[in-house]
Amino acid sequence: MSNVHLIDHPLVQHKLTLMRRKDASTNSFRRLLNELALLMTYEVTRDMPMQDIEIETPLETMTAKVIDGKKLVFVSILRAGNGILEGMLSVVPGARVGHIGLYRDPKTLTAVEYYFKMPSDMHERDVVVVDPMLATGNSAIAAIDRLKETRPKSIKFVCLLTCPEGLAALQKSHPDVPIYTAAIDRQLNEHGYILPGLGDAGDRIFGTK
């Protein structure tokens, strides 16, 4: 589990608890998700490469640090991943955004792709894949399988919640991909939902059922 990073900052845990409550409104759930994603972004981007450049302050010339290389790409697994994007983009507004459309077959629980759109020059970019839930792991594995075809410099996976089954599946298929999460819950139920979890993240973000 050395490649799994549990973000247990008090603010992250507090906001996640408020999101879990079944009586949280769509508006409050969406707002809390935005804030939580913003907080998690600081941890996810902690090891980004830097370079020195020379700038002019109002008083003098100095050498200062900026992020090195091509801009990050945040890749959202549709549709629930879009709920995390806004918070992350508020921290890294220059990031590019890619989308992978996947739905889970209700009988087999396998992921079926219906959309794929990425920025150019992926081989020069660092990718952060976002999806609120890492449950069975099937969607994350399918998304990363597809992304690796574009040969990015690196890939990280970010979720709010996961469970031992999802972690094991993703690590088995992609042991090179670090996983960042705010919680590791107890287990999956027979329908592939995380327990205790927070329900269907997409439905709660967008107010649908």
Side-chain angles (χ1 to χ4, degrees):
M1 300 286 282
S2 60
N3 227 14
V4 178
H5 305 271
L6 179 63
I7 302 174
D8 57 358
H9 190 284
L11 284 174
V12 169
Q13 296 304 312
H14 175 80
K15 293 178 186 298
L16 179 58
T17 295
L18 296 179
M19 290 177 67
R20 288 183 188 268
R21 296 175 59 175
K22 67 178 182 179
D23 58 351
S25 68
T26 298
N27 180 54
S28 65
F29 189 93
R30 191 182 298 141
R31 175 180 52 80
L32 287 162
L33 177 58
N34 183 284
E35 294 170 355
L36 204 156
L38 185 154
L39 292 168
M40 292 180 72
T41 303
Y42 285 101
E43 193 64 33
V44 173
T45 58
R46 181 180 295 276
D47 61 351
M48 289 180 66
M50 305 292 291
Q51 64 173 318
D52 293 328
I53 64 169
E54 194 170 276
I55 64 168
E56 295 278 349
T57 77
L59 299 176
E60 64 181 47
T61 300
M62 70 168 288
T63 299
K65 293 186 178 298
V66 294
I67 295 170
D68 191 18
K70 288 275 190 178
K71 289 183 172 63
L72 272 176
V73 178
F74 293 133
V75 173
S76 169
I77 298 180
L78 298 174
R79 63 183 169 142
N82 281 357
I84 299 179
L85 275 179
E86 186 177 350
M88 289 193 153
L89 287 170
S90 67
V91 182
V92 192
R96 303 293 178 90
V97 177
H99 293 93
I100 300 179
L102 298 168
Y103 68 87
R104 185 169 64 171
D105 186 295
K107 293 182 179 179
T108 65
L109 302 184
T110 57
V112 181
E113 181 185 315
Y114 64 89
Y115 186 77
F116 186 85
K117 183 72 171 180
M118 293 297 134
S120 61
D121 302 322
M122 287 290 285
H123 64 283
E124 300 180 32
R125 301 181 184 278
D126 295 300
V127 172
V128 177
V129 182
V130 298
D131 196 2
M133 316 295 277
L134 176 59
T136 63
N138 291 334
S139 293
I141 291 166
I144 295 170
D145 283 344
R146 190 75 161 84
L147 274 168
K148 284 187 172 179
E149 295 176 9
T150 70
R151 306 182 69 82
K153 286 174 62 180
S154 69
I155 300 175
K156 295 178 179 178
F157 183 85
V158 179
C159 60
L160 298 184
L161 294 180
T162 187
C163 57
E165 298 94 327
L167 287 175
L170 183 51
Q171 288 193 303
K172 181 179 179 181
S173 294
H174 296 289
D176 57 316
V177 175
I179 302 167
Y180 293 79
T181 185
I184 302 173
D185 279 11
R186 187 177 72 250
Q187 68 185 76
L188 292 179
N189 67 11
E190 65 274 17
H191 302 293
Y193 284 95
I194 296 172
L195 298 176
L198 50 69
D200 187 298
D203 285 344
R204 297 195 69 185
I205 292 165
F206 300 109
T208 55
K209 291 184 178 180

